[in-house]
Amino acid sequence: MIEKVLIANRGEIAVRVMRACREMGIETVAVHSTADANAMHVRLADESVCIGPPAVKDSYLNMSAILSAAAISNADAIHPGYGFLSENADFADMVEEHGITFIGPTADHIRVMGDKITAKATVKAAGIPVVPGSDGAVSDPVEARRVAEEIGLPVIIKAAAGGGGRGMRVATTMEELEEALSVASSEAAAMFGSGAVYVEKFLGKPRHIEIQILADTHGNVVHLGERDCSLQRRHQKVLEEAPSPALNASQRNEIGEIARAAIQKLGYRSTGTIEFLYEDGGFYFIEMNTRLQVEHPVTEMICGLDLVREMIRVASGSPLSFTQDEVRFSGHAIECRINAEHPETFMPSPGKVGDYYTPGGLGVRVDSALYSGYTVPPYYDSLIAKLIVHGANRNECLMRLRRALSEYVIDGMDTSIPLHQRLMSEPDFVNGDYDIHWLERLLGL
Ligand code: ADP
C-alpha cells in the first residue's frame, strides 16, 4: 500500500494531487525551489523539501535532488503531475530502481510514446487511424517531395521529439518544402536534442479531440469519452470542453472503443490520452500523452470520477474501481485556463496577488495554488488557475461560466480572464462551431 507520496511538481497540479492523497489518508511530501518556499503546495503538504534554486533545471527537473528528497522523507511513491519529469522515461526508471513506485505508466510506454515517430507506428499497428504521411523520419528533400506528392499539399513537418506545440512547420508549396524541412530539422536539434522530423498531411480545419484512457495492471481498460481542445493559440490549448459539440454518442463510442482496444493491446497502465485531429467525420491520431493532462478535470466533472485517485489505486496494484459499463456521462463541462498574462498581447505578467476572490456555487470548481499576498514567480509556466464549470447541458454550462468568470477577482496582475469573457459572447463559440485555427483568426494572428 502507498502511504506517503512525494509530488514532483508545483502550482495547481501539486495541490490537485495532494487533495486526492489527503482524501485517501495518504501523507504528502512537497518539493520546491527556493523561489517557491511560500507556495501553496508547500503549505498544504505534510512535509516539504527544498530541492534547489529557481531555475527548473536545478530544481523541478533535478532528478537526483528529487530522489534524495524521496529518500530522506521516506516517500514510497512519486506522482510527477504534468510537465517537468512526467514524461521522462529515464526518471521513471530511476524512481523504480530506487524501490519507489512511479505513479504513472511504465518507463517503456513513456519511451515509445515520447518519440512521435515510434508512437505513430505503434498505435497504427494497434488499430488506431493516423494522419497520412511518411512512414518514419525524413531527412532527404527528395523523399519529402515524394511523400508530399503522394499525400498532397499542404504538409506539416514535425519534430519526432517535439512537444508543447513547438517544432512544427507547414509547407504549402514544393518550393517551401525543402526549406521547411531543413529549418524544422535544425530547430528540432536545437530545441529537443534530436533533429529527426517526419512529414504528414496538414489538415485545414480540424478539431482537436482527445480520448481519456485509464488502465490497471489486471488488464482492465476504460475510456472516459473525449475532450474537445480545439481552442488553441500557437498550438497550445486555451479552453477545453467535454463532450465535444462535434460528436454524437455513437461516434464517441466508436472512437472510444478503438482507443480502448488499442491500449489493451499495448498492455498500458495508468492514465493516458490519445490525441486526434478530427475532420470531415474522420479521426487521425497525432500523439499520445502518457500522463495526467492539464484538462483532466472536465472529464472528472462529466464522469463524477477522481482520476488521480484511480492513478494511485492502479499504482498500488488495485484494480480500477469501476468498469466501462459503469461509466456514465452526465451534462457538460468547460475549463478555462487562466494565465498570468495580458489578455491581448499575451505578455507574461507575474506579480503579487492583491485582493483574491474565487467564484463558487453549484457546478463551479477552481484548481489553483493562488492566495492573496502570494507572489507569482517569473520562472515558471504562466498558468495560475483553472476554472472548471459543469452544467446539465452546454447552454447551462455557458451561463454558469459567464457568471463564474464575472465573479473571479485576481488583483495585482494581468490575467486571461477578459479573453475568456470575450469568447463567451462570440457566436461561433456559443454555437460550438470552431476548429483549431478559429481562435487565431479571431485574434487576427
Ligand atoms: P505537441 O506535442 O507539441 O502538443 P501535437 O502533435 O499534439 O504536438 O500537435 C499540437 C497541435 O498542432 C495540434 O493540436 C494541432 O493544432 C497542430 N497540428 C499537429 N499536427 C497537425 C496536422 N497534421 N495538421 C494540422 N495541424 C496539426
Side-chain angles (χ1 to χ4, degrees), residues 116 131 156 158 162-168 198 200-204 206 208 229 232 235-237 275-277 286-287 289 436-437:
K116 291 187 180 180
V131 189
I156 184 166
K158 297 169 72 172
R166 296 174 312 159
M168 286 179 268
Y198 61 109
E200 64 184 28
K201 177 128 189 87
F202 179 74
L203 302 174
H208 174 119
C229 313
Q232 301 182 355
H235 303 305
Q236 296 216 28
K237 299 161 188 168
E275 297 192 333
F276 295 95
L277 294 178
I286 42 173
E287 69 165 341
N289 290 317
I436 60 169
H437 305 297

Side-chain angles (χ1 to χ4, degrees), residues 18 61 74 91 119 126 191 224 268 275 318 358 361:
M18 275 172 208
L61 292 178
N74 268 321
F91 179 64
M191 267 193 270
L224 300 176
Y268 186 86
E275 297 192 333
S318 302
T358 53

